[in-house]
């Protein structure tokens, strides 16, 4: 039924985001070679690697939490309460990670303040990333809403 589809959608999204987080952590090694940051290259690369590893780990935890919900063995209220707990934890993760990413963007802007084209690119990337993030959050919330309807 609809509840199973929402559960599968959530698991698929978390698995995808987890994979992307780990791939981006590996791809962040490139920042070690980015000459615009000068002596700060190692710090920026380490921060990016750590951030994306944290994101990948958090999404893996959410994936496992969602996969642990068994609609054939659990009552509807138990499924709904576990989904609400996951949803709450999702918002807590956002509350922690969003200020962190703002600080990272601010640090990059500060370090590269002399290059206006890099700053314009950062602004455009931040706007597109925020739009995509809001869209994905809406998709997550739609599936959580479907799961928690009794």
């Amino acid at each position: 039924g609809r509840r199973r589809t929402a559960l599968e959608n959530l698991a698929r999204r978390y698995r995808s985001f987890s994979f992307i987080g780990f791939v981006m952590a590996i791809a962040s090694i490139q920042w070690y070679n980015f000459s615009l940051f000068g002596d700060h290259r190692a710090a920026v690369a380490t921060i990016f690697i750590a951030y994306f590893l944290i994101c990948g780990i958090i999404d893996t935890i959410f994936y496992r939490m969602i996969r642990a919900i068994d609609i054939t063995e659990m009552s509807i209220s138990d499924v709904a309460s576990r989904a609400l707990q996951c949803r709450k934890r999702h918002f807590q993760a956002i509350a922690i990670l969003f200020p962190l990413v703002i600080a990272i963007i601010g640090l990059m802007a500060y370090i590269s303040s002399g290059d206006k084209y890099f700053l314009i690119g950062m602004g455009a990337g931040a706007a597109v990333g925020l739009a995509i993030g809001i869209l994905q959050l809406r998709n997550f919330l739609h599936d959580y809403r479907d799961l928690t309807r009794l």
Side-chain angles (χ1 to χ4, degrees):
R2 182 70 176 144
R3 291 184 193 278
R4 184 172 173 97
T5 303
L7 191 62
E8 290 173 351
N9 283 341
L10 281 170
R12 181 182 47 82
R13 279 195 189 95
Y14 281 125
R15 187 180 60 224
S16 296
F17 274 80
S18 174
F19 178 75
I20 290 169
F22 291 126
V23 167
M24 289 303 297
I26 293 168
S28 294
I29 293 171
Q30 70 164 335
W31 292 108
Y32 282 112
N33 298 322
F34 196 60
S35 62
L36 180 65
F37 294 142
D39 295 337
H40 304 289
R41 291 182 296 202
V44 171
T46 304
I47 289 169
F48 268 94
I49 291 168
Y51 177 78
F52 285 119
L53 280 176
I54 291 168
C55 291
I57 291 168
I58 288 173
D59 288 330
T60 299
I61 291 169
F62 284 132
Y63 170 72
R64 289 182 178 172
M65 289 172 66
I66 291 297
R67 293 297 293 174
I69 298 173
D70 185 3
I71 62 171
T72 60
E73 299 290 323
M74 296 178 181
S75 66
I76 293 173
S77 62
D78 195 27
V79 169
S81 69
R82 286 187 183 216
L84 285 173
Q85 180 187 17
C86 289
R87 181 177 179 253
K88 178 182 172 184
R89 298 285 183 245
H90 188 112
F91 280 122
Q92 289 171 342
I94 291 172
I96 292 168
L97 292 174
F98 191 72
L100 186 58
V101 80
I102 296 299
I104 291 170
I105 290 171
L107 175 68
M108 287 179 59
Y110 176 75
I111 292 172
S112 64
S113 60
D115 189 346
K116 70 178 181 178
Y117 296 109
F118 186 77
L119 294 174
I120 291 170
M122 280 180 53
V128 170
L130 184 63
I132 291 170
I134 290 171
L135 177 67
Q136 290 300 316
L137 179 61
R138 287 179 54 132
N139 292 337
F140 274 106
L141 294 179
H142 176 75
D143 288 331
Y144 276 121
R145 184 178 60 242
D146 286 347
L147 256 178
T148 56
R149 267 191 219 155
L150 296 176

